[in-house]
Amino acid sequence: PWSEPEQLWPKYTGSDTNFAPIILKNGSVIAIWRTWEDVRGSRCYLATGDQWNDTSTYKQVMVELFPDLGPAGTEDPFLYVDPNGVYHAVFHHMYGYDTRYHWWLMAEGGHAYSLDGINWTYTGIAWGDPFDRKRGNVVNYTDGSTFRFTRRERPHLIFDDDGHVSHLITAAQYGFGTNPGAANDNGDASYTLVQEVAHA
């Protein structure tokens, strides 16, 4: 049976957090969350918890993880630990061409890593080209066809039996909408896209 939902940080009054946790073998939690600022966009922070099933132990670390990212920043983190014990996170990257005014039309993904889960380094673009003035991300299908999606966000990963990344899942959107508001008709739609990850 499901447990009753519990509110994290009852005194927090900011934007939606995109809270993305990972539960460690000892039962503790490391998470990345974000807040939204009017000028700088989505800014990511760390959270920790002594016990995953005790939300009273969850703490916000109010030091920005990636302060050097430009306007709009990054959002939608997904965390994992690779077979070598290195922490990784992938994001919807929103900094590039014209993102101060059209951040929602970014189709790129970002990546960060950490050796201890606490100190993180943003390595840059994981997929896509943030300075492509045509906008979007071209996807090559297995039948030889291609399609340019306007936006790819909310990344998640599938892993093989050895714990290596095998597939990337994103919400993929077409249409060149001019307003990200939920009440606006931008002539678009969103799909769940599953894409095999190439390995060197």
Side-chain angles (χ1 to χ4, degrees):
W2 291 97
S3 61
E4 289 296 318
E6 295 184 34
Q7 182 178 354
L8 287 180
W9 315 313
K11 295 181 180 179
Y12 175 72
T13 58
S15 67
D16 62 283
T17 65
N18 283 179
F19 186 78
I22 184 168
I23 300 173
L24 305 182
K25 291 180 179 179
N26 65 3
S28 66
V29 171
I30 291 176
I32 293 178
W33 62 283
R34 69 88 180 259
T35 188
W36 186 268
E37 300 179 5
D38 288 341
V39 175
R40 299 178 67 234
S42 181
R43 316 315 295 185
C44 288
Y45 298 85
L46 189 72
T48 61
D50 296 332
Q51 188 62 38
W52 71 268
N53 58 357
D54 183 357
T55 57
S56 69
T57 70
Y58 285 37
K59 296 177 177 61
Q60 293 170 294
V61 180
M62 300 305 295
V63 176
E64 189 175 337
L65 287 178
F66 314 118
D68 295 334
L69 280 180
T74 192
E75 66 172 357
D76 297 342
F78 176 89
L79 280 66
Y80 70 98
V81 180
D82 73 19
N84 296 316
V86 178
Y87 295 80
H88 297 266
V90 290
F91 305 84
H92 174 213
H93 181 90
M94 298 191 297
Y95 172 55
Y97 168 65
D98 199 25
T99 52
R100 181 181 294 276
Y101 303 103
H102 296 100
W103 52 266
W104 62 91
L105 293 178
M106 298 299 291
E108 290 72 40
H111 170 265
Y113 78 94
S114 172
L115 298 179
D116 58 8
I118 304 298
N119 301 288
W120 288 82
T121 299
Y122 199 83
T123 61
I125 301 300
W127 64 87
D129 179 358
F131 297 99
D132 181 357
R133 291 177 179 264
K134 293 181 180 178
R135 288 262 167 74
N137 181 234
V138 176
V139 173
N140 300 303
Y141 288 99
T142 55
D143 65 1
S145 64
T146 63
F147 189 84
R148 179 183 288 273
F149 286 98
T150 309
R151 184 173 173 181
R152 293 182 67 185
E153 56 185 306
R154 293 174 174 78
H156 288 72
L157 299 171
I158 298 174
F159 301 87
D160 63 21
D161 292 338
D162 297 319
H164 296 102
V165 176
S166 63
H167 293 77
L168 167 68
I169 305 171
T170 54
Q173 176 182 310
Y174 70 81
F176 289 84
T178 57
N179 192 316
N184 293 282
D185 180 4
N186 289 312
D188 58 15
S190 183
Y191 297 89
T192 298
L193 180 67
V194 181
Q195 183 176 22
E196 187 174 6
V197 174
H199 293 276

